[in-house]
Amino acid sequence: MKNYKLTFALAVMAIMSATTVWAGSADTLTVRIKGMRCGECAHKVKTVVKKGPGIESIDFNLERRTATIAYDPAQTCADSIKAHLDATGRYKASAYSPNDTILRGFGLRIDDMHCQNCYNRISQRLQTMEGIDSMAPHLDKHYIFVRYDANQTCKADIRRVLGGLGFTPVNYYSSPKVAFAYYNIPAEAAVEATIDEVLTLTGVEDANVNAKRKSLAVTYFTDETTADALLEAIKAAGIEAVVPPAHVCKEEQKTL
């Protein structure tokens, strides 16, 4: 019995050792994929790559338009993987380097950005971030366009910085089918729980909460909901949101 147990233990150790060696032998390939702009595109790329042998995993970065592919070099190679992508005609692979400059741009609606002084605070802070290329404000629309290097920063980090300044940014679109809402909420409202709850509501495209300002900002589709219906849905979800009174900007008063 002792010999049987010893033999079994040695066999298990051998299997574990072999598995470890095999897992550690995987190679990785990171490529830029022109035309991959959304989750649906990434799913199509994954389907194409997975058709080849030896693919272990695929991780995507949509801002960089990159795919990092782990594969078994005994079954496939980088050239074969690239050939599968190139054959699609749309999702062609090209070389990627962490030193590349990958410029991306996005718009943010910031309802609590009211005046030039508000924007100056935003501009001065963002200019200290690595990877910020340029900014363009449209104060009358409470809107800012930010261009950045996706190899050095990302949308989420930019939004976090703005939140730390006391602003409540949400996605901005110029389409007439998109509108924006801004509310005051109780100080004790849980940030992540409130965002998650609002994102489940009909017509909501984006939501953000600023605990410092006690504010909730929402981007929504006008062909799916209305301002009144959205507010009622938010209240029905247990969030005590109220439309704030006309704002008197303290930042603007500093220059008077």
Side-chain angles (χ1 to χ4, degrees), residues 202-204 220-231 233:
T202 299
V204 172
Y220 66 94
F221 297 112
T222 57
D223 58 353
E224 297 183 27
T225 189
T226 64
D228 290 341
L230 176 61
L231 180 55

Side-chain angles (χ1 to χ4, degrees), residues 207-238:
N208 197 8
V209 168
N210 192 293
K212 182 188 297 185
R213 194 179 285 270
K214 299 184 285 294
S215 58
L216 164 65
V218 182
T219 302
Y220 66 94
F221 297 112
T222 57
D223 58 353
E224 297 183 27
T225 189
T226 64
D228 290 341
L230 176 61
L231 180 55
E232 288 304 313
I234 291 172
K235 290 180 177 179

Side-chain angles (χ1 to χ4, degrees), residues 9-219:
L10 290 174
V12 171
M13 290 176 63
I15 292 171
M16 291 178 64
S17 177
T19 302
T20 302
V21 170
W22 182 82
S25 66
D27 284 353
T28 59
L29 168 70
T30 299
V31 291
R32 294 174 65 173
I33 302 178
K34 185 178 181 180
M36 185 181 71
R37 301 179 179 277
C38 63
E40 184 177 352
C41 293
H43 178 72
K44 291 178 179 177
V45 169
K46 184 175 183 178
T47 299
V48 169
V49 174
K50 281 283 191 177
K51 287 181 179 179
I55 303 301
E56 296 182 16
S57 65
I58 309 174
D59 294 315
F60 296 98
N61 186 307
L62 293 178
E63 290 183 62
R64 295 175 185 164
R65 313 277 197 267
T66 60
T68 298
I69 304 161
Y71 63 94
D72 178 2
Q75 300 185 59
T76 189
C77 64
D79 287 343
S80 178
I81 294 170
K82 290 178 182 177
H84 276 87
L85 289 167
D86 291 348
T88 66
R90 178 175 181 181
Y91 301 115
K92 293 185 177 181
S94 62
Y96 166 78
S97 167
N99 297 319
D100 291 341
T101 297
I102 304 176
L103 290 180
R104 297 283 180 257
F106 73 124
L108 289 170
R109 168 80 175 207
I110 310 176
D111 272 281
D112 29 36
M113 180 182 71
H114 301 95
C115 68
Q116 185 64 45
N117 281 346
C118 292
Y119 170 69
N120 289 345
R121 287 179 57 221
I122 290 172
S123 175
Q124 289 167 10
R125 177 64 182 88
L126 290 188
Q127 285 177 6
T128 67
M129 291 183 67
E130 291 290 331
I132 298 297
D133 178 75
S134 62
M135 291 162 279
H138 300 266
L139 297 176
D140 58 326
K141 298 179 180 178
H142 302 281
Y143 157 69
I144 181 174
F145 183 83
V146 181
R147 189 176 297 278
Y148 64 100
D149 181 355
N151 247 345
Q152 298 187 60
T153 189
C154 63
K155 294 178 182 179
D157 285 346
I158 294 169
R159 285 174 61 133
R160 275 193 291 269
V161 167
L162 292 173
L165 289 175
F167 296 101
T168 322
V170 286
N171 293 337
Y172 174 86
Y173 304 96
S174 59
S175 169
K177 293 184 178 181
V178 176
F180 310 92
Y182 185 84
Y183 311 101
N184 288 339
I185 58 175
E188 63 273 15
V191 172
E192 294 302 327
T194 299
I195 293 174
D196 290 344
E197 189 68 43
V198 174
L199 285 173
T200 66
L201 301 179
T202 299
V204 172
E205 189 278 335
D206 188 27
N208 197 8
V209 168
N210 192 293
K212 182 188 297 185
R213 194 179 285 270
K214 299 184 285 294
S215 58
L216 164 65
V218 182
T219 302

